[in-house]
């Protein structure tokens, strides 16, 4: 995930979802206060999982939704989405 997206997710979950604002001016001021507080004591983002763990989770999810009976894509649609290539790459990565 892009670090900029991660930072905006922090802003959203830690500030915006917990606040109410009666005007755009009030919202903007609140965001600026939060940014200033963040910048006074910045904390680096630390990944909780390795890339391999994330890819394994994604592969398991893809397998689960493919085997659920709810996913009715044709082989051509799966090919266009890159599902066979992703599964093959993950399988190859596991054996190497």
């Amino acid at each position: 995930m892009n670090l900029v997206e991660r930072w905006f997710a922090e802003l959203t979950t830690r500030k915006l979802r917990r606040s109410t604002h009666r005007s755009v001016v009030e919202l903007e001021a609140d965001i600026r206060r939060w940014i200033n507080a963040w910048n006074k004591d910045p904390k680096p983002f630390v990944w909780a999982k390795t890339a391999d763990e994330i890819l394994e989770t994604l592969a398991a999810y893809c397998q689960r939704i493919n085997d659920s009976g709810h996913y009715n894509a044709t082989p051509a649609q799966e090919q266009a989405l890159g599902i066979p290539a992703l599964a093959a790459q993950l399988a190859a990565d596991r054996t190497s």
Side-chain angles (χ1 to χ4, degrees), residues 6-95:
R6 185 69 210 118
W7 185 87
F8 277 103
E10 287 288 315
L11 171 63
T12 300
T13 53
R14 293 183 181 225
K15 185 62 188 163
L16 298 180
R17 287 190 182 147
R18 298 178 182 190
S19 304
T20 56
H21 304 94
R22 296 177 189 263
S23 70
V24 174
V25 172
E26 190 178 310
L27 170 64
E28 184 178 341
D30 200 20
I31 291 172
R32 289 186 187 279
R33 279 191 299 275
W34 189 84
I35 291 169
N36 289 334
W38 177 276
N39 286 337
K40 285 180 185 172
D41 185 26
K43 300 201 176 28
F45 291 107
V46 179
W47 295 107
K49 293 185 177 186
T50 66
D52 288 337
E53 290 170 325
I54 293 168
L55 290 174
E56 286 175 13
T57 302
L58 178 61
Y61 174 73
C62 288
Q63 187 65 45
R64 195 168 56 248
I65 63 171
N66 284 341
D67 293 341
S68 69
H70 299 290
Y71 181 73
N72 297 320
T74 65
Q77 289 169 324
E78 287 184 354
Q79 187 69 35
L81 291 171
I83 293 171
L86 174 62
Q89 181 62 46
L90 290 171
D93 289 347
R94 284 189 195 126
T95 59

